[in-house]
Amino acid sequence: MDTTKKRYYLNSNELAVLMANSGIKSLYGLGSAKPMDNKDICMVLHSLYVNKIIDNYNQEGFVIDKDVREIMGIIRKSRYVMAVNAEKTDHILKCCYLGEKIAVVSIDEKSRDIICIYAMDKEEIVEELMQIAAEGNSLSISLKNVSDGQEREKVAISAETTKDFINGYISKYCKEE
């Protein structure tokens, strides 16, 4: 299956459980999940199982869907994250974790409790950013080091920004594994 087209919509607790299982302590741009007791965790595991995001959960753990596992792997191994902000919003539009592929994490504009995760090739994220800018949104991209949160660079993207500029900017920080 082509992971570049499949998007997963999760609530913050579902994402927290997947992150914990994948060895990810936090995500840039997202608040922390609400504390969960055993009942909450069981409900989250059941929801993930019903939605076919996990399989075979037992005392040894559970198996995450291979596409979601790939997304979590990109996030876990990423050295840099791009925080994409639109001029017209007061929150981060997308967080793009840079690796051989790009893992994208975004909060749903309407519900604010639903988080979308997906993986894209570098060329696809360039196209997505160009499309957002073409719709009249000026974008601010802040590149941060994942380990310490320090900002490395900040650039602005508008409808006039060239595809080559965006591609070069992203390529500079993507690593081939």
Side-chain angles (χ1 to χ4, degrees):
M1 175 166 57
D2 182 8
T3 61
T4 61
K5 304 298 181 224
K6 183 129 185 181
R7 295 173 188 238
Y8 296 88
Y9 296 88
L10 308 163
N11 66 41
S12 57
N13 286 341
E14 290 168 334
L15 182 59
V17 167
L18 293 172
M19 287 170 47
N21 182 265
S22 301
I24 301 168
K25 294 184 185 343
S26 65
L27 289 178
Y28 180 80
L30 296 179
S32 56
K34 299 174 191 117
M36 293 183 275
D37 60 22
N38 286 341
K39 181 181 174 189
D40 294 329
I41 293 170
C42 287
M43 288 174 57
V44 167
L45 290 172
H46 178 72
S47 173
L48 291 170
Y49 180 77
V50 166
N51 291 307
K52 298 183 178 0
I53 294 173
I54 64 168
D55 194 16
N56 299 328
Y57 60 88
N58 57 36
Q59 67 270 19
E60 295 175 15
F62 50 85
V63 178
I64 298 176
D65 170 87
K66 73 177 184 66
D67 297 331
V68 175
R69 191 171 54 243
E70 178 186 31
I71 295 165
M72 293 293 142
I74 295 166
I75 293 169
R76 186 181 64 253
K77 295 174 189 172
S78 180
R79 291 177 45 208
Y80 300 104
V81 60
M82 280 188 340
V84 180
N85 293 297
E87 182 181 82
K88 300 173 185 174
T89 63
D90 61 348
H91 61 277
I92 295 172
L93 202 58
K94 299 176 183 302
C95 287
C96 305
Y97 288 81
L98 307 179
E100 186 175 335
K101 282 190 162 191
I102 313 294
V104 181
V105 179
S106 62
I107 298 173
D108 185 75
E109 294 279 330
K110 294 178 183 133
S111 81
R112 307 291 296 159
D113 186 44
I114 300 299
I115 300 157
C116 179
I117 62 171
Y118 54 101
M120 303 181 96
D121 291 324
K122 181 178 59 170
E123 296 77 21
E124 291 172 306
I125 193 64
V126 170
E127 290 295 328
E128 191 169 293
L129 293 174
M130 292 291 295
Q131 177 64 38
I132 294 168
E135 293 169 356
N137 295 303
S138 293
L139 301 177
S140 169
I141 296 179
S142 176
L143 188 96
K144 298 187 181 277
N145 188 309
V146 170
S147 63
D148 63 12
Q150 294 295 312
E151 186 171 82
R152 303 260 315 191
E153 268 188 77
K154 195 168 192 167
V155 296
I157 295 176
S158 67
E160 292 79 36
T161 305
T162 66
K163 186 176 181 177
D164 288 339
F165 173 80
I166 299 171
N167 192 34
Y169 179 77
I170 292 173
S171 294
K172 188 166 47 169
Y173 293 101
C174 285
K175 67 174 193 250
E176 301 295 325
E177 297 188 272

